[in-house]
Structure formats: C-alpha cells, structure tokens
Amino acid sequence: MPILDSTFKAPFFFRKSFIATVYSGLFRKVNLEQTRERLELADGDFIDLDWSYAPEKSNKVIILLSGLEGHAQRPYLTGTAKLFNKNGIDAISVNFRGCSGEPNRKYYAYHSGATEDLHTIIMHAIGNKIYDEVYIYGISLGGNLALKYLGEGNDVPIQVKACIGISVPCSLQHSAKQLHSFINRPFHDRFKRRLVNSLRLKQSQFPEQISEEEVNSIKTLNDFDEVYTSRAHGFKNALDYYEKSSCLQFLPNIKVPSLIINALNDSFLTPECFPVKAAKNNPNLYLEMPKHGGHVGFIQRGGVYYNEKRALEFVTENTK
C-alpha cells in the first residue's frame, strides 16, 4: 500500500489515448467566473492568480497548477475549480510567470521544478489567516512541481493538508524523450511552436541574453531546454535540469497525503513515471493507475472528469 485500484471506466469512444487527450485539450468547455489578482514577487516579477469562490465564505482553498504553457482558463483547471467551489472550497488558478497573456518582467520564467513561486503563493493564501486548509492540485508539469515541493525539504506550512497530481511526468528525462517519439509528434510540435513563439518575445525584451540565431536553432523541445530553460534558470544543460527537477527522487520524503493519477495509456509517460516503489514504501503517497485516460483525458459522463471527482474525494477523506 498504497497502490489504489482505479474505478475509472472510460466511455468506449475515449479509450484511445490520442482521442481522450486531444478532446480534453481542445474541445472541452467550462464556464467559470474568476477574479484576477496580481501577486508582486520579491524579485520584482509578478504572477497573476485567478480566484473563484464558494457560494458561502470558506476557510478552505485549493491551489491549481497548470501544465506546460497552460493558463488559469484551461478547462482542466476551471473544471476542477468549479467542482471545488460547488463543494464549499475557494480556488486559486495559477498562471505561471509569463502565462497570463502578458510577458513577465524577467528573462527567466517558470519550469518544472520552480517551487519557490509555489511556496510564495501558499504563504500569500494563508497570510490573511482566512484559510485553515490548503490543498494543491497539479496537472502534468504542475503535478511534478507540487510533489517536488512537498518532498524536497521545504518548511511546508501546516495548513497544507493534501496534494493531487494528474498525469505527472515523475521522471522528466524519460518523459521528455517520450515526447520526441513519433506517436507524440503532433503534441511535440504544438508545444514547441508555442514555446518558441513565447521565446521570440523574450528575445525582443532581452536581446543581450539570447540571440535571434539561438532562437532559430531550436528544432525540438530538448533544444528549447538546452538553449533557454536550463541556461535561464541556472542549470548546466537540459539533462541537468531534468535530473534536478524531477519529483521522482523526492517522493519518498513526502509527509502530506498525496495522490498521483497516471493513466497506463498516457503516451507522454514511460514506466519510470509510475512510482510504484515509492508509493509502496511511503504511507503518505497514493498511486492510482487507470487503464485509460490518456494525458489529462479522464472523461466521464456528466461534465465532471474522473480526476476532478477523485481529487475532491481524496481531499475529503484526508481532512476529516
């Protein structure tokens, strides 16, 4: 224990990973009223937080972290926020640096292991002493970041009661290699195009930091991490970034109840991304491996996704 048997049954049409992943990423719609707050950071940069609220005043809040190049209006965040709001829990949907529709002020931005910003957001949420309970919910990159934060030795506030990671690339090196495979070519190219477009804006802001020629040299996601991510954030190279930022090595140290839901047919993940050993040896770490679901594609009838329902159940079970 705790390896959990999954009750998720994907509708027949969505049992193929590609279909579930694409539908959830491109076609799902969720309506949610949000209020934006700009959080000024100690280094002179900012993060935009999009709040949504329970009908009545709440002492509980969930912090929602997106995947690569995501933002607070992505349905995988708004769907979760909406469900938690209906159940009496406020929600903060986080836009990582540079992901809120406005470039951030620094050359560096965000990455899979940038836990300092998450800690700042948590402390901001509990600073007004309104919230007695804080939950963290991360999608893909956001899930890796959340789990790394809990296990890397931070002084985690006692208000943090539970964490849920969905479709988590626990080993960034292996997941990155998998994204370069032929089967993931459409996803790889979409991510790369968006990242390079964002980097072109950075290049115009900071021409002394990176040249146009360097930006043009980027042909793959690995190139992007070699040319920008690693250099901008103090790593030796892409491999050094992957090794130091992967949550896998930190999972044994997690002391807050944490749930990982990774689908066995997730084309972004390799066997190294399913931390069975860590879950068996850490009573605070729960691993659920549904047969279907693709990458963040746990579709079920009724509009609420399975991972959202399970997140609410897990929070409820571990905060009684």
Side-chain angles (χ1 to χ4, degrees):
M1 289 292 286
I3 305 295
L4 304 178
D5 292 328
S6 181
T7 61
F8 176 61
K9 303 293 183 185
F12 179 78
F13 186 71
F14 294 107
R15 290 180 184 173
K16 289 192 175 297
S17 175
F18 182 83
I19 294 174
T21 303
V22 170
Y23 175 84
S24 300
L26 297 182
F27 298 105
R28 186 188 184 194
K29 305 296 181 186
V30 177
N31 294 318
L32 179 69
E33 183 177 344
Q34 295 174 307
T35 301
R36 176 157 293 185
E37 176 192 16
R38 176 152 295 183
L39 178 60
E40 295 289 341
L41 304 174
D43 65 355
D45 213 345
F46 69 91
I47 290 178
D48 286 332
L49 308 176
D50 289 334
W51 290 77
S52 58
Y53 300 96
E56 305 293 335
K57 185 176 180 181
S58 177
N59 68 338
K60 303 175 183 180
V61 65
I62 185 166
I63 297 173
L64 306 167
L65 308 173
S66 72
L68 182 66
E69 285 299 277
H71 52 75
Q73 284 67 54
R74 291 298 302 272
Y76 58 55
L77 293 194
T78 53
T80 308
K82 189 171 185 176
L83 178 63
F84 274 73
N85 292 162
K86 285 182 176 180
N87 285 272
I89 301 168
D90 293 345
I92 304 172
S93 295
V94 176
N95 298 281
F96 293 129
R97 299 186 191 217
C99 292
S100 62
E102 180 180 337
N104 65 306
R105 300 173 188 140
K106 301 293 184 179
Y107 178 59
Y108 51 83
Y110 73 98
H111 64 80
S112 297
T115 55
E116 301 87 355
D117 286 351
L118 174 56
H119 184 72
T120 298
I121 294 166
I122 293 170
M123 297 307 294
H124 175 68
I126 65 178
N128 53 19
K129 297 183 170 51
I130 292 176
Y131 297 111
D132 300 321
E133 295 184 11
V134 176
Y135 322 121
I136 309 172
Y137 177 94
I139 294 289
S140 194
L141 176 152
N144 180 84
L145 191 152
L147 293 162
K148 176 177 179 282
Y149 169 75
L150 293 178
E152 67 182 351
N154 291 296
D155 186 13
V156 178
I158 60 172
Q159 290 90 344
V160 177
K161 303 297 184 183
C163 176
I164 303 95
I166 308 299
S167 302
V168 183
C170 298
S171 174
L172 295 175
Q173 176 186 356
H174 292 92
S175 182
K177 184 177 180 180
Q178 185 71 2
L179 269 172
H180 288 74
S181 64
F182 177 77
I183 192 174
N184 285 316
R185 186 63 180 269
F187 304 112
H188 170 279
D189 290 352
R190 181 179 174 83
F191 281 133
K192 186 202 72 175
R193 184 168 57 252
R194 294 182 66 179
L195 287 164
V196 170
N197 287 341
S198 296
L199 187 57
R200 291 193 190 284
L201 295 176
K202 284 280 183 202
Q203 195 277 326
S204 64
Q205 281 181 284
F206 302 96
E208 73 284 359
Q209 298 274 9
I210 186 170
S211 68
E212 187 174 348
E213 289 73 23
E214 287 174 303
V215 175
N216 290 335
S217 74
I218 297 172
K219 307 301 180 185
T220 67
L221 288 174
N222 187 77
D223 291 344
F224 181 86
D225 289 333
E226 285 282 351
V227 171
Y228 173 71
T229 310
S230 59
R231 298 178 190 175
H233 299 99
F235 300 98
K236 296 176 184 177
N237 50 37
L239 180 59
D240 186 49
Y241 158 56
Y242 299 149
E243 289 179 343
K244 290 179 178 175
S245 299
S246 294
C247 72
L248 185 62
Q249 61 200 301
F250 302 106
L251 298 180
N253 305 323
I254 289 177
K255 296 178 174 60
V256 172
S258 299
L259 170 66
I260 298 173
I261 303 179
N262 281 359
L264 292 172
N265 73 337
D266 188 335
S267 67
F268 292 17
L269 306 183
T270 66
E272 292 81 4
C273 297
F274 296 85
V276 173
K277 181 179 178 181
K280 286 182 175 179
N281 290 296
N282 185 345
N284 296 305
L285 184 66
Y286 298 77
L287 176 62
E288 183 174 339
M289 298 176 286
K291 184 177 180 181
H292 303 114
H295 196 71
V296 202
F298 299 96
I299 303 162
Q300 60 180 14
R301 293 178 178 84
V304 176
Y305 273 37
Y306 175 78
N307 51 291
E308 296 161 359
K309 176 180 74 78
R310 282 292 294 123
L312 183 61
E313 290 173 350
F314 187 76
V315 162
T316 303
E317 292 165 359
N318 286 279
T319 55
K320 292 178 180 177

